[in-house]
Amino acid sequence: MIDNETRRKIIIEYGAGETVTALAEKYKLSRTTISKILGSVKTEQKLSNNCTKTERVGVAIGRVKEIDEQDNKELARKTVNAIMSS
């Protein structure tokens, strides 16, 4: 399983212009795994074929923020469950 820090790095590097193949080699993962991590980022970038590097980085940053929000929700859920069980 891939940790969230690695996911963030992959998303940001892709937004900065790295290719899926280069990321797969760098992180020793399959291209399919990288594509799954980048799912929404790649979709958003494909919608605007002529997006600039700034726009690509913006999309990547937005996706990283989504991951952070999911992490915070999961932490809150675990905390509430721990409080309820004690």
Side-chain angles (χ1 to χ4, degrees):
M1 182 160 219
I2 302 165
D3 61 23
N4 285 334
E5 187 61 31
T6 303
R7 289 178 192 267
R8 287 181 188 97
K9 289 178 183 177
I10 290 169
I11 291 168
I12 290 170
E13 289 179 28
Y14 181 78
E18 285 290 331
T19 64
V20 172
T21 304
L23 291 170
E25 291 174 6
K26 180 177 180 178
Y27 291 100
K28 310 268 190 278
L29 299 168
S30 70
R31 291 184 314 184
T32 304
T33 302
I34 298 293
S35 291
K36 287 180 182 178
I37 292 169
L38 297 173
S40 64
V41 174
K42 287 175 70 176
T43 302
E44 289 177 39
Q45 289 178 356
K46 283 182 182 176
L47 292 177
S48 58
N49 291 334
N50 296 325
C51 61
T52 65
K53 187 172 184 175
T54 304
E55 291 169 332
R56 291 181 68 176
V57 171
V59 170
I61 290 171
R63 180 64 184 125
V64 168
K65 287 181 181 179
E66 289 174 19
I67 290 173
D68 288 341
E69 288 175 12
Q70 290 171 354
D71 288 349
N72 291 340
K73 288 178 185 177
E74 181 65 21
L75 178 61
R77 187 187 63 75
K78 287 180 180 179
T79 303
V80 169
N81 287 341
I83 292 170
M84 298 286 283
S85 66
S86 61

